Amino acid sequence: MRDVKDLVLPHLQSPKGYDGVRSLEAMAEESGIPPEKIIRLNGNENSYGPSPKVAQALASFDQYNRYPDPEQKRLREALSDYTGTSPDSIVAGNGSDELIDLIIRLFVGSGDNIIEPTPTFGMYRFSARLVDAQVVPVPRDRNFQLDLESIELAMDQRTKVIFLASPNNPTGNTAREGEIRKLLELPVMVVVDEAYYEYCGQTAMPLLGEYPNLIVLRTFSKWAGLAGLRVGLGVMDPHVASLMMTIKPPYNMNRAAEVALVASLRDRDLLMSRIKPVVEERERMFSLLESIPKVTPIPSQANFMMVRLPEGRGEEIFHSLAKRGVFVRYYTDEEMKDCLRVSVGLPSETDGFVEALREVVKE
Ligand SMILES: Cc1ncc(COP(=O)(O)O)c(C=O)c1O
């Protein structure tokens, strides 16, 4: 019998996984703190939760025994109203993560490459590596602005997609329209990932009519509190959308996600009314963090911010916070090793985090 390991594709023999947010139970077990006392600020989730209409709609829906519509008719119509674009330019996905994966499948093959201005969201490189593509990181400048010249220099014949998160995760800053236009003039697909759009109000959506190589991603995980139900979308040239609809798994959007999405859009005013308190909380957290010696928060346009810690102490501080039941995001990358990313949650969560950080930094 052949060793099954030899049957695995060569580039997946020892893959790098995605370091996702672990379950509340796992965090409680690691810290020895009961789940209800854990401060969970590591996933950029929405601490306010979904619209109350979501639970009502899920409870009264009676078609769970039926497959979802592979053509996503109702969903695409509802999303057309949200995006202001035609339904045939929209593809809904199991989180925007799935859209990232579908984009890679459609445009990027083995030996091709993608470009990502770093530091940035980890799913672009994760999905690219699965298809044996190369990932070309192009570092942002000291203020995390794009280095357009280096991006252009990094391109070659096999560059297929540039992934640009705006606001960027983890740095929280947005790209300017002029910069996005310059990228769109390049002969590659440009994905503008607007997962945090509702917190900043800046969008590349109006450029879609001018540039068929643009794809805009959005998600309901952040502003609408549906991270656990997985609702994302891509808006693109209708021809690209029709190809993506053809290659996606037929029932990629489960019926619960569909029901929750429609109910959320019906309660959009309530969900949008929760944006302001999060933005205000972000600014309050920023001021509190500024008052801790040797701690520097980085201004952000999203529902999280990056925080610079005293030099050489990043990992230790991250672990000490976790021991106190405070979970934030830590990155082992060289350029990020003295930083952490913290989500903006409820005022009580901010207070718990800031107090724990103040103590831990003093140690
Ligand atoms: C920039 C960015 N894009 C996409 C996602 C994924 O969102 P979703 O939950 O829709 O898969 C995230 C999640 O943190 C993100 O930060």
Side-chain angles (χ1 to χ4, degrees):
M1 176 62 191
R2 218 168 139 187
D3 188 338
V4 288
K5 284 192 210 132
D6 297 336
L7 295 172
V8 172
L9 289 169
H11 71 282
L12 295 178
Q13 292 280 345
S14 47
K16 275 197 196 150
Y18 181 81
D19 183 18
V21 180
R22 288 181 310 146
S23 70
L24 189 61
E25 292 72 26
M27 292 185 226
E29 200 178 312
E30 184 193 321
S31 58
I33 307 269
E36 62 282 5
K37 294 218 166 113
I38 296 286
I39 297 181
R40 178 180 172 140
L41 297 177
N42 53 356
N44 302 343
E45 295 154 336
N46 188 325
S47 290
Y48 288 89
S51 149
K53 297 229 165 84
V54 166
Q56 290 162 17
L58 288 170
S60 61
F61 184 69
D62 63 0
Q63 298 287 310
Y64 290 117
N65 57 326
R66 304 294 177 198
Y67 283 108
D69 171 15
E71 291 167 24
Q72 304 179 340
K73 196 164 179 326
R74 184 159 164 250
L75 274 181
R76 294 169 95 194
E77 268 160 22
L79 288 170
S80 153
D81 187 46
Y82 159 72
T83 56
T85 61
S86 64
D88 66 353
S89 64
I90 299 171
V91 179
N94 187 27
S96 46
D97 285 351
E98 187 182 32
L99 271 310
I100 295 166
D101 187 63
L102 288 170
I103 292 166
I104 300 265
R105 282 162 188 259
L106 195 54
F107 293 103
V108 187
S110 171
D112 288 338
N113 68 63
I114 64 151
I115 288 184
E116 52 170 30
T118 54
T120 195
F121 183 50
M123 283 302 287
Y124 314 134
R125 75 196 82 117
F126 170 80
S127 290
R129 284 184 187 131
L130 292 185
V131 300
D132 198 20
Q134 308 302 311
V135 179
V136 182
V138 178
R140 288 164 175 265
D141 73 13
R142 277 184 28 188
N143 300 317
F144 307 117
Q145 302 297 325
L146 297 176
D147 179 350
L148 291 175
E149 211 175 303
S150 299
I151 290 176
E152 209 170 330
L153 283 172
M155 279 184 48
D156 63 23
Q157 292 295 327
R158 303 216 59 178
T159 304
K160 295 297 184 65
V161 186
I162 298 175
F163 281 95
L164 176 66
S166 180
N168 184 41
N169 174 2
T171 56
N173 59 322
T174 50
R176 288 187 281 270
E177 184 183 316
E179 295 174 313
I180 296 174
R181 280 185 183 274
K182 283 203 180 115
L183 294 179
L184 285 163
E185 298 296 337
L186 301 171
V188 292
M189 293 304 294
V190 176
V191 177
V192 181
D193 182 346
E194 299 183 350
Y196 303 95
Y197 158 70
E198 276 75 11
Y199 295 98
C200 73
Q202 275 184 52
T203 179
M205 210 71 93
L207 303 182
L208 278 162
E210 279 177 69
Y211 297 97
N213 57 334
L214 170 63
I215 299 179
V216 177
L217 299 184
R218 296 269 182 92
T219 178
F220 279 54
S221 294
K222 316 296 177 182
W223 72 283
L226 292 185
L229 279 174
R230 316 301 300 125
V231 178
L233 62 141
V235 190
M236 60 205 88
D237 178 80
H239 175 66
V240 177
S242 102
L243 291 174
M244 204 173 283
M245 288 298 290
T246 312
I247 67 153
K248 77 173 176 58
Y251 310 120
N252 65 328
M253 291 299 288
N254 71 70
R255 296 214 87 165
E258 180 184 322
V259 169
L261 182 151
V262 173
S264 301
L265 286 177
R266 287 203 180 121
D267 210 9
R268 206 169 154 190
D269 289 347
L270 172 101
L271 291 168
M272 287 307 289
S273 76
R274 294 170 170 179
I275 298 293
K276 199 164 158 243
V278 173
V279 169
E280 284 170 5
E281 191 53 21
R282 179 182 77 203
E283 300 317 312
R284 189 177 79 89
M285 186 196 277
F286 189 92
S287 308
L288 290 172
L289 290 170
E290 267 187 322
S291 73
I292 306 179
K294 298 200 187 135
V295 166
T296 314
I298 309 294
S300 164
Q301 312 240 52
N303 68 341
F304 60 85
M305 75 184 71
M306 207 168 107
V307 184
R308 278 194 203 286
L309 302 170
E311 206 182 323
R313 296 194 55 200
E315 196 170 1
E316 164 225 321
I317 288 178
F318 165 70
H319 288 301
S320 301
L321 288 171
K323 271 197 214 134
R324 287 168 158 78
V326 177
F327 286 83
V328 294
R329 193 80 154 94
Y330 180 68
Y331 304 86
T332 47
D333 316 40
E334 191 51 33
E335 83 245 58
M336 299 283 292
K337 71 181 186 5
D338 288 328
C339 300
L340 50 81
R341 188 201 70 197
V342 58
S343 313
V344 179
L346 302 172
S348 57
E349 293 172 309
T350 305
D351 292 340
F353 159 66
V354 171
E355 194 187 313
L357 183 65
R358 207 183 281 283
E359 279 173 26
V360 164
V361 166
K362 253 195 253 155
E363 277 172 3

